[in-house]
Amino acid sequence: MSLVKSISGIRGTIGGVVGEGLSPVDIAKFTAAYATTIQQQRGKKDCTIVVGRDARISGEMVSHVVIGTLLGCGCHVTDIGLATTPTTEIAVTEEQADGGIILTASHNPKHWNALKLLNAKGEFLNKQEGEEVIAIAEKEDFHFADVEELGSYRRIDNYTQRHIKKVLALDLVDVDAIRNAHLRVACDCVNSVGGIAVPQLLEALGVEVIPLYCNPNGCFPHNPEPLPEHLGDIAALVKNEKADVGFVVDPDVDRLAIICENGEMFGEEYTLVSVADFVLEHTPGNTVSNLSSSRALRDVTEKHGGSYAAAAVGEVNVVEKMKKIGAIVGGEGNGGVIYPAAHYGRDALVGIALFLTMLVKRGEKPSEIRKKLPDYYISKNKIQLTPQIDVDGVLAVVKGCYKQFQLNTEDGVKIDFPQGWVHLRKSNTEPIIRIYSEAPTKEQADKFAAAIIAEIKRIANI
């Protein structure tokens, strides 16, 4: 069993012993700690918290525990039910709530779930706030409300439609142009909340929808992380049905992968790059992505006269850097597009609408758009951790081994070579070390990664 406490929230496997997985006791404890943190921040006990969840099998159970705990802490709960992560983020600001909890383990398999914690802006808690929640939970330093001060509950079921309406209203989204193009679009929603939101968005845009795995029952038909090795079914569907494009989302719909009309992968790194290229073409400005994302975003930003900056991995870090430099678009290379004109959060629905607008405005196929973008290859690898591995010690030794190159230690260790880079860091969401490398060719990127992996295994004696 696993329980991971990090800047990305409280994530764990369902069941098992208290403290070793995401048991009901752990869920209640961290929810109470979050409620206490928000109450202290806002200077009041009767805070309003929005709760939304993906379609995981454990979602209903987790939701009941979270909502009951919030009510017991004296918080008022606005339950929006099955909702994407960006939908819940939007609901926090629309409801003028004091915070929000998203119940989703994102790309993790079905036996995982998590509490993603939001502030009053509908954005993830920063590192200091997240550490405060963890500290309060570990000390059990929270106080439940007396019976006269229990919170209230209400349910709102139309936030998916409200989110879609907000996307359609974006200045750069041309609904009429998309509708008039008579597109055929396939979508793989991995049987989670994307199966509700994505077809509704596509229908509102006037395209013919070819759905795959759109039953929101939480039974993922394949590994839910939208990587090429998991997307054979949607690739075949796009090609066989002669669709104009295919879209794939993860269980909470903040990541977007694209399938070209010929069934080939557009590349998850290039979701953000292509959307940013389109946005910058019409509204020049600055961009941000994380340290593990492709150099291609920097290239297209500079092509349009803007400045690019890199942030530590984690949506909250990217958002903070975007605000600092006034970026007009940004995100993460895992297919996460952040477009502040909509809201400060990764949003696959926004990415879909902007990509379709670009497709019809340019009159090009997805494969043609991809060929015109800077071409790099990223090799994404990971090493499973054991409790005996001193990750910080390993990273320190690696840093020393490559001190002759340009190093960035803001988040793990990133080594810049003349022909590319390698970034290694401890994951915020899984008990692994991630090793990402990029170069102009697959062979060179894999070579960089293999050298670092061998070095880590030697140092850690694994």
Side-chain angles (χ1 to χ4, degrees):
M1 309 305 291
S2 298
L3 185 62
V4 182
K5 298 164 277 191
S6 75
I7 191 172
S8 297
I10 311 303
R11 187 177 301 230
T13 50
I14 296 298
V17 178
V18 173
E20 294 183 6
L22 196 63
S23 70
V25 174
D26 294 296
I27 295 165
K29 184 167 67 173
F30 284 103
T31 300
Y34 167 75
T36 300
T37 300
I38 296 298
Q39 288 166 337
Q40 291 174 350
Q41 282 183 355
R42 308 293 282 178
K44 59 181 181 178
K45 289 290 185 181
D46 59 337
C47 292
T48 298
I49 307 296
V50 172
V51 177
R53 69 176 180 92
D54 71 12
R56 286 171 185 273
I57 296 169
S58 62
E60 188 171 359
M61 179 275 288
V62 176
S63 179
H64 283 309
V65 176
V66 166
I67 290 171
T69 303
L70 289 171
L71 296 176
C73 289
C75 294
H76 304 298
V77 174
T78 299
D79 178 11
I80 64 171
L82 289 171
T84 74
T85 281
T87 302
T88 308
E89 293 169 350
I90 289 169
V92 170
T93 55
E94 293 281 326
E95 294 297 315
Q96 297 182 323
D98 299 287
I101 301 180
I102 308 166
L103 311 179
T104 175
S106 191
H107 62 275
N108 290 97
K110 65 180 181 180
H111 55 288
W112 287 76
N113 213 324
L115 314 181
K116 288 187 176 182
L117 309 176
L118 305 175
N119 61 22
K121 296 179 181 178
E123 300 166 12
F124 291 114
L125 301 187
N126 61 34
K127 183 180 181 187
Q128 180 180 344
E129 293 164 336
E131 289 174 347
E132 183 178 344
V133 171
I134 293 170
I136 291 172
E138 290 177 344
K139 295 176 184 176
E140 298 190 2
D141 187 18
F142 37 75
H143 180 77
F144 293 103
D146 295 333
V147 68
E148 296 88 356
E149 297 174 339
L150 295 174
S152 62
Y153 172 86
R154 66 172 180 151
R155 174 77 177 233
I156 301 179
D157 288 317
N158 69 345
Y159 258 103
T160 295
Q161 292 74 33
R162 291 163 74 169
H163 181 183
I164 290 171
K165 186 176 180 180
K166 189 178 181 74
V167 172
L168 299 180
L170 291 170
D171 288 343
L172 280 186
V173 174
D174 194 329
V175 178
D176 290 336
I178 296 171
R179 182 174 288 118
N180 292 335
H182 304 292
L183 299 174
R184 303 183 75 239
V185 178
C187 59
D188 175 356
C189 300
V190 74
N191 285 345
S192 190
V193 290
I196 300 171
V198 174
Q200 285 188 29
L201 171 68
L202 293 174
E203 288 166 3
L205 288 168
V207 308
E208 181 183 343
V209 183
I210 308 169
L212 178 68
Y213 308 137
C214 288
N215 181 11
N217 58 16
C219 297
F220 305 148
H222 57 76
N223 186 308
E225 188 165 11
L227 299 177
E229 57 266 32
H230 308 147
L231 304 180
D233 291 352
I234 182 69
L237 181 67
V238 168
K239 190 173 181 179
N240 294 338
E241 291 290 332
K242 295 182 172 54
D244 294 289
V245 65
F247 294 120
V248 185
V249 295
D250 62 341
D252 68 326
V253 199
D254 59 1
R255 291 172 60 174
L256 173 65
I258 300 168
I259 312 297
C260 295
E261 78 290 343
N262 54 13
E264 294 180 358
M265 301 294 135
F266 193 83
E268 65 169 352
E269 287 288 332
Y270 284 86
T271 298
L272 171 59
V273 175
S274 61
V275 169
D277 188 44
F278 175 67
V279 170
L280 294 167
E281 179 184 343
H282 296 276
T283 51
N286 302 328
T287 66
V288 173
S289 64
N290 67 39
L291 286 162
S292 282
S293 298
S294 176
R295 282 183 179 175
L297 180 61
R298 178 199 65 185
D299 294 351
V300 300
T301 303
E302 292 175 353
K303 178 186 75 173
H304 291 290
S307 297
Y308 166 81
V313 174
E315 184 173 317
V316 63
N317 299 316
V318 175
V319 168
E320 286 179 357
K321 186 66 68 77
M322 288 180 70
K323 291 180 177 180
K324 183 176 180 180
I325 72 167
I328 62 167
V329 66
E332 299 188 286
N334 58 12
V337 175
I338 302 174
Y339 187 46
H343 65 113
Y344 275 107
R346 293 181 300 169
D347 192 332
L349 300 188
V350 169
I352 288 170
L354 289 172
F355 189 88
L356 288 177
T357 301
M358 173 177 60
L359 203 64
V360 300
K361 289 284 192 179
R362 292 183 179 176
E364 296 176 326
K365 298 177 180 179
S367 61
E368 294 169 338
I369 290 173
R370 174 63 182 85
K371 285 178 183 177
K372 292 182 179 180
L373 295 170
D375 201 22
Y376 295 102
Y377 180 87
I378 284 189
S379 177
K380 297 185 177 183
N381 303 274
K382 56 190 177 183
I383 295 177
Q384 198 73 29
L385 296 178
T386 66
Q388 292 75 33
I389 297 177
D390 176 9
V391 178
D392 293 333
V394 169
L395 295 182
V397 174
V398 171
K399 178 182 173 184
C401 292
Y402 292 90
K403 61 185 178 182
Q404 70 271 35
F405 298 101
Q406 182 180 340
L407 301 174
N408 185 316
T409 57
E410 182 180 356
D411 181 13
V413 178
K414 184 171 185 178
I415 309 161
D416 270 300
F417 301 109
Q419 308 92 346
W421 54 263
V422 177
H423 185 207
L424 53 153
R425 54 180 289 276
K426 185 177 180 179
S427 172
N428 289 330
T429 59
E430 299 177 71
I432 59 175
I433 294 178
R434 295 190 185 277
I435 303 101
Y436 286 10
S437 59
E438 183 176 62
T441 67
K442 179 182 187 300
E443 292 72 23
Q444 185 63 62
D446 288 341
K447 185 177 178 180
F448 283 150
I452 295 294
I453 290 171
E455 195 69 34
I456 292 173
K457 289 184 175 180
R458 181 189 66 81
I459 296 165
N461 194 28
I462 55 176

